Amino acid sequence: FKGSYISLDMRKHKKILLSITIIVLLFFYQYFFSKIGQFLVYESVDIGKIDRIVVLSGSSGSRVEKAVEAYNLYHVPLIMTGSPFYGRSYPYYMKEYAVSLGVPSDFIEVEEQSYSTADHVRNLIPYFRRYQDHSVLIVTSKFHTRRSMYVFNKLSEKENIIFYSLGAEDTIDYDEWWMHYEMIETIL
């Protein structure tokens, strides 16, 4: 009988510990989830000299607009990267938009075979080699910045390229993203 008293006592302690954990999570879940949302955003603070600006397709025109702001600051060539889209490609339309915002057409190249962030890296490395780029500014949506930087750095380790990140405005509320289905779907 003595062993059963110990196991009952242990079960009681486990229930108490579980209850305390649940209570703590209920009180602090907003803090934890908002920190997770804020963690997704990574923007380079000290952007040095850059050789090229890469704009990842997706989202609205905010990525192109942010890239044009960077172009006006650095005056370096751009590469629009993405996938085909009904006979044309996302990068084609992105280039058209950037030209309408004042970037000369001959300063913009398009890479049209990337369906994922990993594809972007694999398909852009030949460009970086051809132009001997050593520092590249990646423009994407804010929620995609940390993941993009990780993938670019991981898949191009042998290339000796410094990547910087610049996040375009998006529709994510980073303090309450977990409360809206559309934001959860976008982030995850």
Side-chain angles (χ1 to χ4, degrees):
F1 288 116
K2 201 171 193 179
S4 63
Y5 290 118
I6 293 172
S7 66
L8 285 177
D9 197 39
M10 289 297 286
R11 279 189 245 157
K12 184 178 176 183
H13 287 309
K14 284 183 180 181
K15 285 182 182 180
I16 291 172
L17 183 61
L18 180 62
S19 298
I20 290 171
T21 303
I22 290 171
I23 291 169
V24 167
L25 286 176
L26 287 175
F27 280 113
F28 295 106
Y29 79 95
Q30 288 182 326
Y31 173 79
F32 292 126
F33 282 118
S34 67
K35 288 299 179 192
I36 290 169
Q38 293 164 12
F39 176 76
L40 296 173
V41 179
Y42 172 83
E43 291 189 285
S44 301
V45 178
D46 296 321
I47 298 175
K49 176 192 172 297
I50 59 169
D51 299 313
R52 191 160 314 276
I53 298 169
V54 169
V55 188
L56 307 184
S57 66
S59 191
S60 65
S62 64
R63 294 180 185 190
V64 174
E65 292 163 0
K66 188 59 96 172
V68 170
E69 286 177 28
Y71 167 79
N72 289 331
L73 189 62
Y74 295 103
H75 298 286
V76 296
L78 288 87
I79 299 177
M80 306 295 185
T81 180
S83 60
F85 180 75
Y86 298 108
R88 294 289 174 129
S89 68
Y90 286 109
Y92 172 84
Y93 292 114
M94 294 162 64
K95 178 178 179 176
E96 277 191 345
Y97 187 38
V99 168
S100 77
L101 294 174
V103 179
S105 179
D106 58 337
F107 260 68
I108 306 171
E109 290 194 54
V110 295
E111 182 287 304
E112 303 172 301
Q113 299 304 314
S114 294
Y115 294 88
S116 69
T117 308
D119 285 347
H120 291 309
V121 180
R122 286 189 282 271
N123 294 333
L124 289 170
I125 285 175
Y127 288 88
F128 302 151
R129 287 178 182 157
R130 180 180 337 140
Y131 297 115
Q132 299 177 355
D133 292 336
H134 298 287
S135 58
V136 176
L137 178 63
I138 307 297
V139 179
T140 188
S141 296
K142 286 186 175 187
F143 72 86
H144 193 235
T145 52
R146 185 169 300 275
R147 180 174 178 273
S148 297
M149 288 297 288
Y150 174 78
V151 173
F152 269 83
N153 284 311
K154 184 72 175 167
L155 296 181
S156 65
E157 287 176 322
K158 299 174 184 170
E159 299 301 320
N160 197 28
I161 299 172
I162 297 169
F163 291 103
Y164 298 101
S165 177
L166 185 60
E169 290 301 318
D170 53 38
T171 58
I172 305 298
D173 177 348
Y174 292 95
D175 290 326
E176 297 184 354
W177 65 272
W178 70 92
M179 297 172 72
H180 305 280
Y181 174 77
E182 296 83 12
M183 291 182 205
I184 294 170
E185 187 175 50
T186 300
I187 286 177
L188 301 179

